Amino acid sequence: MKHSSTTSLLFASLIDAVLGATLWASLWRVVLPQFGGYTPETFGTIDVLGMSMLAGVLIVLGNTTEGSLGRAFVSGGMPPSSRGRSIVRHLGWLSFVITIWTGWIITKISPIEFFSSEGLQGAGRIFGALVRPNMSIVPQALEAMVVTVFTALMATVVAVPLAFLISFPAARNVMSASAGERAVYTSIRAVLNIARSMEPVIWAVIFSVWVGIGPFAGMLALVVHTIASLAKQYSEQIEDINDGPIEAIAATGANRLQNIWFAIVPQVVIPFLSFTIYRWDINVRMATIIGFVGGGGIGTLLTQYQGLAKFQEVGTLVIIITLVVWILDVASARIREALK
Amino acid sequence: MRPILEVVDVSHTYPNGVHALRKVSLAVNPGEFLVVIGLSGSGKSTLLRTINRLLEPSDGRILFDGADIAHITGEDLRRHRSRIGMIFQHFNLIDRHSVLKNVLYGALGATSTMSSILNRFSREQIAEALHNLDIVGIADKAEMRADALSGGQKQRVAIARALMQHPKVLLADEPVASLDPATSHSVMQYLEKVNRELGMTVICNLHFLSLVRQYASRVVALKHGALVFDGHPEEITDEWFTAIYGEDAREVEIR
């Protein structure tokens, strides 16, 4: 296994190099400026030199003493020599401390602000407003909530038939007859995975530019995400079914469409229904969030009141959202339980 | 008499490299009740599945009614499958559908995709399905859901479904392996009835030699994918039994 040991050694060195460069950048550009008023210039020669120097040091250290985090990571174990082990341990702790320190600085964690009297006053205002909601906007809020619930409903209704159709060519056991079918299966799965990794909020941004801000943009965003998620869940359910009926229906001389309809569909309808109801439930929550970025409904209303610093109104909306989401959650759980 | 089925030098190797069949040759005459015996993994199920082409054999010829069907595809393949009925160890009914619908699914090969999916089976087909249920003695269960039946009843529904195909040959893959002894005999008797009264050729995989002796008109044995015996049930002596099932095997009776 000469080849694989060479590649894994290269891989280990690469990890060491990245670690060295990151450590340098953390120390030089984030940690050091905390002391004595030094402000780093824009990224320049000195950074490149420093980063490559520390990377080089770690690689050399790793190759001369076996004290390499990269090797320990790639091999999944500590180096055999005690000197190597000691170096790996120290390097490991050092990188951990520097990483956490850097993270603390970058995320601007500040206990002082959290507990400052000014800050606590602000928190008091918000929580106070939550318990003293402005009931006069309830009709407006309910109207917006209805928009959100229907956005989610329409997105689910539009997405379900498409997800249903896509799920069959996305199931391995349906698409195993030839190399061409397997290629179709693989590409559909890849597209679904990519569509699913893009959050609905991002789709909402795209569609609010495309069709304008409002519930339609929110619905389209949810449709894309729902198709991708449901098609994956559906197809995994199809892959999970009992193959016996498929064989039996094929043995009668049925064609593929008949086989899907008579052997596969009866086995998956109930789980499909269950997934679908749960997805509507999820979509109502997502539709709220999508409203923040221009998807209409109660989310949009919430950002408007928040922008005007009208916290009692915000409080009203938060209460209504929580209630509706909770009711739908209980209802969908009940329905899914009844379907079993 | 011209054989209805001729298997000529058929071999099958699975993608994982297992040689399930090695140059098996066999001719089946119309009206025979042929039983295939052998240990689990000897190739019995593979042989049956190459005959109705649920599997494509790697090598050899399969002549059905004189035509080689070993490598046909598409419409030809579906027409071929529709002429051969098959029943399975685990019945393979559509559990959530009614018994009657399950029987009607035997006619899928003869029904257009649209009318079958819209559930528009003809009056004749429905009458025939009920008649077939009557043949296997469970016409009264037609409206029940298939998963409400017992194992033996499910296998009888499966026989009725196969009859819908007007098959020339009925394949039975371990039809009684999931059933208790009493029910096993009942199912075997319906297969015998189909064989004797409707003149249907039956090819059946079985485990129990006592059932073989009672129902088979002819027996073939497979061992490691090769045909090692071809003869009458009474010719299976103790020597043959040891040769087929190995030194450690003991015969178990099923009454």
Side-chain angles (χ1 to χ4, degrees), chain B residues 32 36 38-39 48 74 83 85-86 107 114 125 144 164 167 172 188 196 207 220 223 242 244 247:
Chain B
E32 276 192 298
V36 185
L39 290 170
L48 248 59
R83 292 182 299 179
M86 184 162 189
M114 264 330 261
Q125 284 174 321
M144 284 179 74
M164 282 304 282
M188 289 306 296
R196 295 216 176 131
H207 265 308
V220 295
K223 188 176 184 181
T242 312
I244 296 165
E247 287 293 337

Side-chain angles (χ1 to χ4, degrees), chain B residues 176-223:
Chain B
V176 298
S178 313
L179 303 176
D180 59 57
T183 320
S184 295
H185 274 295
S186 147
V187 165
M188 289 306 296
Q189 276 156 12
Y190 281 111
L191 286 179
E192 190 174 45
K193 179 177 173 185
V194 165
N195 173 248
R196 295 216 176 131
E197 293 176 17
L198 305 178
M200 211 169 280
T201 311
V202 176
I203 304 177
C204 178
N205 291 343
L206 280 181
H207 265 308
F208 288 105
L209 271 182
S210 53
L211 289 177
V212 176
R213 294 204 177 91
Q214 197 166 344
Y215 296 100
S217 67
R218 181 180 153 205
V219 183
V220 295
L222 287 174
K223 188 176 184 181

Side-chain angles (χ1 to χ4, degrees), chain A residues 61-72:
Chain A
L61 198 68
N63 282 311
T64 49
T65 65
E66 295 183 317
S68 152
L69 270 181
R71 278 197 209 190

Side-chain angles (χ1 to χ4, degrees), chain A residues 244 247 250-251 255 258 262 266, chain B residues 49 81 92 96 108 111 113 116:
Chain A
E247 217 181 14
N255 60 35
Q258 289 173 319
F262 291 104
Chain B
R49 280 167 175 71
R81 281 176 180 167
N92 295 348
R96 304 179 46 81
L108 283 179
T111 313
T113 308
S116 61

Side-chain angles (χ1 to χ4, degrees), chain B residues 26-251:
Chain B
L26 174 70
V28 185
N29 290 319
E32 276 192 298
F33 197 119
L34 176 72
V35 170
V36 185
I37 58 172
L39 290 170
S40 299
S42 61
K44 304 190 297 292
S45 290
T46 307
L47 176 64
L48 248 59
R49 280 167 175 71
T50 57
I51 292 171
N52 70 345
R53 281 294 317 284
L54 287 176
L55 279 177
E56 184 171 358
S58 319
D59 198 19
R61 289 180 302 144
I62 300 173
L63 303 173
F64 187 83
D65 242 359
D68 188 355
I69 53 90
H71 303 289
I72 54 173
T73 55
E75 195 54 46
D76 291 338
L77 175 59
R78 289 196 289 277
R79 198 176 310 115
H80 170 66
R81 281 176 180 167
S82 74
R83 292 182 299 179
I84 298 181
M86 184 162 189
I87 65 173
F88 302 83
Q89 175 179 351
H90 298 293
F91 327 123
N92 295 348
L93 301 181
I94 312 306
D95 280 340
R96 304 179 46 81
H97 289 187
S98 75
V99 165
L100 180 64
K101 278 189 180 175
N102 267 285
V103 178
L104 283 167
Y105 297 159
L108 283 179
T111 313
S112 81
T113 308
M114 264 330 261
S115 19
S116 61
I117 286 180
L118 295 175
N119 227 336
R120 292 221 297 258
F121 292 94
S122 70
R123 200 165 298 180
E124 293 76 34
Q125 284 174 321
I126 293 169
E128 192 185 353
L130 287 168
H131 174 68
N132 287 339
L133 279 172
D134 204 30
I135 292 179
V136 293
I138 42 174
D140 56 321
K141 303 274 195 284
E143 294 306 322
M144 284 179 74
R145 251 174 69 151
D147 54 5
L149 302 184
S150 71
Q153 291 170 332
K154 283 183 184 174
Q155 197 61 294
R156 281 145 69 187
V157 174
I159 294 173
R161 172 173 69 187
L163 293 181
M164 282 304 282
Q165 297 174 233
H166 311 126
K168 297 192 166 179
V169 171
L170 181 63
L171 306 175
D173 187 22
E174 307 275 7
V176 298
S178 313
L179 303 176
D180 59 57
T183 320
S184 295
H185 274 295
S186 147
V187 165
M188 289 306 296
Q189 276 156 12
Y190 281 111
L191 286 179
E192 190 174 45
K193 179 177 173 185
V194 165
N195 173 248
R196 295 216 176 131
E197 293 176 17
L198 305 178
M200 211 169 280
T201 311
V202 176
I203 304 177
C204 178
N205 291 343
L206 280 181
H207 265 308
F208 288 105
L209 271 182
S210 53
L211 289 177
V212 176
R213 294 204 177 91
Q214 197 166 344
Y215 296 100
S217 67
R218 181 180 153 205
V219 183
V220 295
L222 287 174
K223 188 176 184 181
H224 303 312
L227 200 76
V228 293
F229 177 90
D230 187 344
H232 289 287
E234 57 270 21
E235 292 172 68
I236 305 180
T237 57
D238 288 348
E239 288 75 43
W240 270 115
F241 183 80
T242 312
I244 296 165
Y245 286 100
E247 287 293 337
D248 299 331
R250 291 280 175 281
E251 195 178 335

Side-chain angles (χ1 to χ4, degrees), chain A residues 202-247:
Chain A
I202 299 169
W203 286 111
V205 171
I206 294 172
F207 283 117
S208 62
V209 175
W210 190 335
V211 301
I213 285 177
F216 186 43
M219 191 204 93
L220 288 175
L222 286 177
V223 165
V224 174
H225 196 256
T226 305
I227 291 175
S229 307
L230 276 184
K232 178 163 189 283
Q233 276 183 304
Y234 286 176
S235 59
E236 278 168 2
Q237 189 63 40
I238 293 170
E239 288 176 357
D240 223 33
I241 63 165
N242 175 8
D243 290 338
I246 298 180
E247 217 181 14

Side-chain angles (χ1 to χ4, degrees), chain A residues 17 19-25 28-29 42-59:
Chain A
L19 180 70
T22 320
L23 283 184
W24 176 269
W28 182 253
R29 300 193 68 86
T42 47
F43 196 84
T45 329
I46 187 158
D47 296 276
V48 177
L49 277 176
M51 286 165 81
S52 18
M53 190 193 71
L54 203 52
V57 167
L58 286 192
I59 290 176

